[in-house]
Short mmCIF file of all heavy atoms in Angstrom, two decimals:
data_model
loop_
_atom_site.label_atom_id
_atom_site.label_comp_id
_atom_site.label_asym_id
_atom_site.label_seq_id
_atom_site.Cartn_x
_atom_site.Cartn_y
_atom_site.Cartn_z
N ASP A 1 58.84 -40.65 -20.61
CA ASP A 1 57.89 -41.73 -20.86
C ASP A 1 56.87 -41.25 -21.88
O ASP A 1 56.37 -40.12 -21.78
CB ASP A 1 57.17 -42.14 -19.56
CG ASP A 1 58.09 -42.86 -18.60
OD1 ASP A 1 58.99 -43.58 -19.08
OD2 ASP A 1 57.92 -42.69 -17.39
N LEU A 2 56.58 -42.08 -22.87
CA LEU A 2 55.67 -41.70 -23.94
C LEU A 2 54.54 -42.72 -24.09
O LEU A 2 54.39 -43.36 -25.14
CB LEU A 2 56.44 -41.55 -25.26
CG LEU A 2 57.57 -40.52 -25.25
CD1 LEU A 2 58.42 -40.64 -26.50
CD2 LEU A 2 56.99 -39.10 -25.14
N PRO A 3 53.74 -42.89 -23.05
CA PRO A 3 52.66 -43.90 -23.12
C PRO A 3 51.65 -43.62 -24.21
O PRO A 3 51.13 -44.54 -24.85
CB PRO A 3 52.02 -43.84 -21.72
CG PRO A 3 52.37 -42.46 -21.21
CD PRO A 3 53.72 -42.16 -21.77
N ALA A 4 51.35 -42.33 -24.46
CA ALA A 4 50.37 -42.01 -25.50
C ALA A 4 50.86 -42.44 -26.87
O ALA A 4 50.09 -42.92 -27.70
CB ALA A 4 50.07 -40.51 -25.49
N LEU A 5 52.14 -42.28 -27.12
CA LEU A 5 52.72 -42.69 -28.41
C LEU A 5 52.66 -44.21 -28.54
O LEU A 5 52.38 -44.75 -29.62
CB LEU A 5 54.15 -42.20 -28.53
CG LEU A 5 54.85 -42.44 -29.87
CD1 LEU A 5 54.11 -41.73 -31.00
CD2 LEU A 5 56.29 -41.97 -29.81
N SER A 6 52.88 -44.92 -27.44
CA SER A 6 52.83 -46.37 -27.46
C SER A 6 51.42 -46.85 -27.79
O SER A 6 51.21 -47.75 -28.60
CB SER A 6 53.24 -46.94 -26.09
OG SER A 6 54.53 -46.47 -25.72
N ARG A 7 50.41 -46.21 -27.18
CA ARG A 7 49.02 -46.60 -27.45
C ARG A 7 48.66 -46.35 -28.91
O ARG A 7 47.98 -47.15 -29.55
CB ARG A 7 48.07 -45.82 -26.53
CG ARG A 7 48.13 -46.27 -25.07
CD ARG A 7 46.96 -45.70 -24.30
NE ARG A 7 46.98 -44.24 -24.25
CZ ARG A 7 47.59 -43.54 -23.31
NH1 ARG A 7 48.26 -44.16 -22.35
NH2 ARG A 7 47.56 -42.22 -23.32
N GLU A 8 49.12 -45.22 -29.43
CA GLU A 8 48.81 -44.86 -30.82
C GLU A 8 49.39 -45.88 -31.78
O GLU A 8 48.77 -46.26 -32.77
CB GLU A 8 49.35 -43.46 -31.12
CG GLU A 8 49.11 -43.00 -32.54
CD GLU A 8 49.68 -41.62 -32.78
OE1 GLU A 8 49.39 -40.71 -31.98
OE2 GLU A 8 50.42 -41.45 -33.76
N ALA A 9 50.62 -46.32 -31.52
CA ALA A 9 51.29 -47.25 -32.41
C ALA A 9 50.92 -48.71 -32.12
O ALA A 9 51.27 -49.61 -32.88
CB ALA A 9 52.81 -47.08 -32.28
N GLY A 10 50.20 -48.93 -31.00
CA GLY A 10 49.85 -50.30 -30.64
C GLY A 10 51.06 -51.12 -30.26
O GLY A 10 51.13 -52.33 -30.50
N SER A 11 52.05 -50.45 -29.68
CA SER A 11 53.31 -51.12 -29.36
C SER A 11 53.53 -51.18 -27.85
O SER A 11 52.72 -50.68 -27.07
CB SER A 11 54.47 -50.35 -30.00
OG SER A 11 54.55 -49.04 -29.47
N ALA A 12 54.64 -51.79 -27.48
CA ALA A 12 55.00 -51.85 -26.07
C ALA A 12 55.34 -50.44 -25.59
O ALA A 12 55.66 -49.56 -26.39
CB ALA A 12 56.20 -52.78 -25.90
N PRO A 13 55.27 -50.19 -24.28
CA PRO A 13 55.59 -48.87 -23.74
C PRO A 13 56.95 -48.38 -24.23
O PRO A 13 57.91 -49.14 -24.28
CB PRO A 13 55.60 -49.10 -22.23
CG PRO A 13 54.67 -50.25 -22.03
CD PRO A 13 54.89 -51.14 -23.23
N THR A 14 56.99 -47.15 -24.64
CA THR A 14 58.24 -46.60 -25.17
C THR A 14 58.62 -45.34 -24.41
O THR A 14 57.88 -44.85 -23.56
CB THR A 14 58.11 -46.31 -26.67
OG1 THR A 14 59.43 -46.06 -27.21
CG2 THR A 14 57.23 -45.10 -26.96
N SER A 15 59.79 -44.82 -24.73
CA SER A 15 60.30 -43.62 -24.10
C SER A 15 61.12 -42.86 -25.12
O SER A 15 61.38 -43.35 -26.23
CB SER A 15 61.18 -43.98 -22.89
OG SER A 15 62.36 -44.65 -23.35
N LEU A 16 61.54 -41.67 -24.76
CA LEU A 16 62.35 -40.88 -25.67
C LEU A 16 63.64 -41.61 -26.02
O LEU A 16 64.04 -41.66 -27.19
CB LEU A 16 62.66 -39.52 -25.04
CG LEU A 16 63.53 -38.57 -25.88
CD1 LEU A 16 62.80 -38.17 -27.15
CD2 LEU A 16 63.91 -37.33 -25.08
N TYR A 17 64.30 -42.18 -25.02
CA TYR A 17 65.56 -42.87 -25.29
C TYR A 17 65.36 -44.08 -26.20
O TYR A 17 66.19 -44.35 -27.08
CB TYR A 17 66.22 -43.30 -23.97
CG TYR A 17 66.89 -42.17 -23.21
CD1 TYR A 17 66.89 -40.86 -23.69
CD2 TYR A 17 67.55 -42.41 -22.00
CE1 TYR A 17 67.51 -39.83 -22.98
CE2 TYR A 17 68.18 -41.39 -21.28
CZ TYR A 17 68.15 -40.11 -21.79
OH TYR A 17 68.77 -39.09 -21.10
N ARG A 18 64.28 -44.82 -26.01
CA ARG A 18 64.02 -45.95 -26.91
C ARG A 18 63.74 -45.46 -28.32
O ARG A 18 64.15 -46.06 -29.30
CB ARG A 18 62.83 -46.77 -26.38
CG ARG A 18 63.11 -47.53 -25.09
CD ARG A 18 62.00 -48.53 -24.80
NE ARG A 18 62.17 -49.17 -23.50
CZ ARG A 18 61.54 -48.80 -22.40
NH1 ARG A 18 60.67 -47.80 -22.44
NH2 ARG A 18 61.75 -49.43 -21.25
N LEU A 19 63.06 -44.34 -28.42
CA LEU A 19 62.75 -43.76 -29.72
C LEU A 19 64.03 -43.38 -30.46
O LEU A 19 64.15 -43.55 -31.67
CB LEU A 19 61.87 -42.53 -29.53
CG LEU A 19 60.95 -42.10 -30.68
CD1 LEU A 19 59.99 -43.21 -31.06
CD2 LEU A 19 60.20 -40.84 -30.29
N LEU A 20 65.03 -42.89 -29.72
CA LEU A 20 66.29 -42.46 -30.33
C LEU A 20 67.07 -43.62 -30.94
O LEU A 20 67.96 -43.40 -31.76
CB LEU A 20 67.14 -41.73 -29.30
CG LEU A 20 66.67 -40.33 -28.91
CD1 LEU A 20 67.48 -39.79 -27.74
CD2 LEU A 20 66.75 -39.38 -30.11
N ALA A 21 66.74 -44.83 -30.55
CA ALA A 21 67.40 -45.98 -31.17
C ALA A 21 67.05 -46.08 -32.65
O ALA A 21 67.78 -46.72 -33.43
CB ALA A 21 66.98 -47.27 -30.45
N GLY A 22 65.97 -45.42 -33.05
CA GLY A 22 65.56 -45.44 -34.44
C GLY A 22 66.09 -44.28 -35.27
O GLY A 22 65.77 -44.17 -36.45
N GLY A 23 66.90 -43.43 -34.65
CA GLY A 23 67.50 -42.32 -35.40
C GLY A 23 67.31 -41.00 -34.66
O GLY A 23 66.55 -40.92 -33.70
N PRO A 24 68.04 -39.96 -35.10
CA PRO A 24 67.93 -38.66 -34.43
C PRO A 24 66.50 -38.13 -34.52
O PRO A 24 65.74 -38.47 -35.43
CB PRO A 24 68.91 -37.77 -35.20
CG PRO A 24 69.11 -38.46 -36.51
CD PRO A 24 68.96 -39.92 -36.25
N LEU A 25 66.17 -37.27 -33.56
CA LEU A 25 64.78 -36.85 -33.39
C LEU A 25 64.64 -35.33 -33.37
O LEU A 25 65.38 -34.63 -32.69
CB LEU A 25 64.26 -37.41 -32.06
CG LEU A 25 62.84 -37.02 -31.63
CD1 LEU A 25 61.80 -37.69 -32.52
CD2 LEU A 25 62.61 -37.37 -30.16
N VAL A 26 63.66 -34.85 -34.14
CA VAL A 26 63.23 -33.45 -34.01
C VAL A 26 62.09 -33.45 -33.01
O VAL A 26 61.05 -34.09 -33.23
CB VAL A 26 62.74 -32.89 -35.36
CG1 VAL A 26 62.24 -31.45 -35.18
CG2 VAL A 26 63.85 -32.93 -36.40
N LEU A 27 62.30 -32.80 -31.89
CA LEU A 27 61.32 -32.76 -30.81
C LEU A 27 60.77 -31.35 -30.69
O LEU A 27 61.52 -30.40 -30.43
CB LEU A 27 61.96 -33.20 -29.49
CG LEU A 27 61.07 -33.19 -28.25
CD1 LEU A 27 59.95 -34.22 -28.37
CD2 LEU A 27 61.91 -33.47 -27.00
N LYS A 28 59.46 -31.22 -30.87
CA LYS A 28 58.83 -29.90 -30.84
C LYS A 28 57.83 -29.80 -29.70
O LYS A 28 57.07 -30.74 -29.47
CB LYS A 28 58.09 -29.62 -32.16
CG LYS A 28 59.01 -29.53 -33.37
CD LYS A 28 58.29 -28.89 -34.53
CE LYS A 28 57.73 -27.55 -34.19
NZ LYS A 28 58.77 -26.61 -33.68
N PHE A 29 57.84 -28.67 -29.04
CA PHE A 29 56.83 -28.38 -28.02
C PHE A 29 55.93 -27.26 -28.56
O PHE A 29 56.42 -26.25 -29.06
CB PHE A 29 57.50 -27.91 -26.71
CG PHE A 29 58.21 -29.01 -25.98
CD1 PHE A 29 59.55 -29.29 -26.26
CD2 PHE A 29 57.56 -29.77 -25.02
CE1 PHE A 29 60.21 -30.31 -25.59
CE2 PHE A 29 58.22 -30.79 -24.34
CZ PHE A 29 59.55 -31.05 -24.63
N VAL A 30 54.62 -27.47 -28.44
CA VAL A 30 53.67 -26.48 -28.95
C VAL A 30 52.55 -26.27 -27.93
O VAL A 30 52.21 -27.17 -27.16
CB VAL A 30 53.06 -26.90 -30.31
CG1 VAL A 30 54.15 -27.03 -31.37
CG2 VAL A 30 52.27 -28.19 -30.19
N PRO A 31 51.95 -25.07 -27.93
CA PRO A 31 50.85 -24.80 -26.99
C PRO A 31 49.59 -25.60 -27.29
O PRO A 31 48.84 -25.96 -26.38
CB PRO A 31 50.60 -23.29 -27.16
CG PRO A 31 51.82 -22.76 -27.83
CD PRO A 31 52.34 -23.87 -28.68
N GLY A 32 49.28 -25.86 -28.57
CA GLY A 32 48.07 -26.57 -28.93
C GLY A 32 47.45 -25.99 -30.18
O GLY A 32 47.90 -24.98 -30.72
N ARG A 33 46.35 -26.62 -30.65
CA ARG A 33 45.76 -26.23 -31.93
C ARG A 33 45.10 -24.86 -31.91
O ARG A 33 44.83 -24.28 -32.96
CB ARG A 33 44.74 -27.28 -32.37
CG ARG A 33 43.47 -27.34 -31.56
CD ARG A 33 42.55 -28.45 -32.02
NE ARG A 33 41.42 -28.58 -31.12
CZ ARG A 33 40.24 -28.01 -31.32
NH1 ARG A 33 40.04 -27.28 -32.41
NH2 ARG A 33 39.25 -28.17 -30.46
N SER A 34 44.83 -24.32 -30.71
CA SER A 34 44.20 -23.01 -30.65
C SER A 34 45.15 -21.89 -31.01
O SER A 34 44.74 -20.75 -31.21
CB SER A 34 43.62 -22.77 -29.25
OG SER A 34 44.64 -22.81 -28.27
N CYS A 35 46.44 -22.19 -31.11
CA CYS A 35 47.45 -21.19 -31.46
C CYS A 35 47.61 -21.16 -32.99
O CYS A 35 48.09 -22.14 -33.57
CB CYS A 35 48.78 -21.53 -30.80
SG CYS A 35 50.14 -20.47 -31.35
N PRO A 36 47.26 -20.07 -33.66
CA PRO A 36 47.36 -20.02 -35.11
C PRO A 36 48.81 -20.11 -35.61
O PRO A 36 49.05 -20.62 -36.72
CB PRO A 36 46.72 -18.69 -35.48
CG PRO A 36 46.83 -17.86 -34.22
CD PRO A 36 46.70 -18.82 -33.10
N TYR A 37 49.76 -19.63 -34.81
CA TYR A 37 51.17 -19.73 -35.22
C TYR A 37 51.60 -21.19 -35.23
O TYR A 37 52.36 -21.61 -36.10
CB TYR A 37 52.04 -18.91 -34.27
CG TYR A 37 51.75 -17.42 -34.34
CD1 TYR A 37 50.83 -16.83 -33.48
CD2 TYR A 37 52.37 -16.62 -35.30
CE1 TYR A 37 50.54 -15.47 -33.57
CE2 TYR A 37 52.08 -15.27 -35.37
CZ TYR A 37 51.16 -14.70 -34.51
OH TYR A 37 50.87 -13.36 -34.62
N THR A 38 51.12 -21.96 -34.26
CA THR A 38 51.41 -23.39 -34.24
C THR A 38 50.79 -24.09 -35.44
O THR A 38 51.39 -24.97 -36.05
CB THR A 38 50.89 -24.02 -32.93
OG1 THR A 38 51.67 -23.50 -31.84
CG2 THR A 38 51.00 -25.53 -32.94
N THR A 39 49.56 -23.70 -35.79
CA THR A 39 48.91 -24.28 -36.96
C THR A 39 49.75 -24.09 -38.21
O THR A 39 50.02 -25.04 -38.95
CB THR A 39 47.52 -23.63 -37.17
OG1 THR A 39 46.67 -24.00 -36.09
CG2 THR A 39 46.89 -24.09 -38.47
#
């Protein structure tokens, strides 16, 4: 479930599977902005 992405886009609630209907996805997990390697 990706409610934060839905709010950002101003769209109906979405999910990973709904997102994949728009094409293949690069999905990245990161610790956050405090990590210089992530930056």
Side-chain angles (χ1 to χ4, degrees):
D1 289 327
L2 300 169
L5 185 61
S6 304
R7 288 193 297 271
E8 179 180 309
S11 62
T14 192
S15 67
L16 180 65
Y17 283 0
R18 291 192 186 99
L19 205 59
L20 287 172
L25 176 71
V26 178
L27 179 65
K28 295 195 56 56
F29 289 89
V30 298
R33 70 183 173 95
S34 60
C35 172
Y37 295 92
T38 293
T39 293

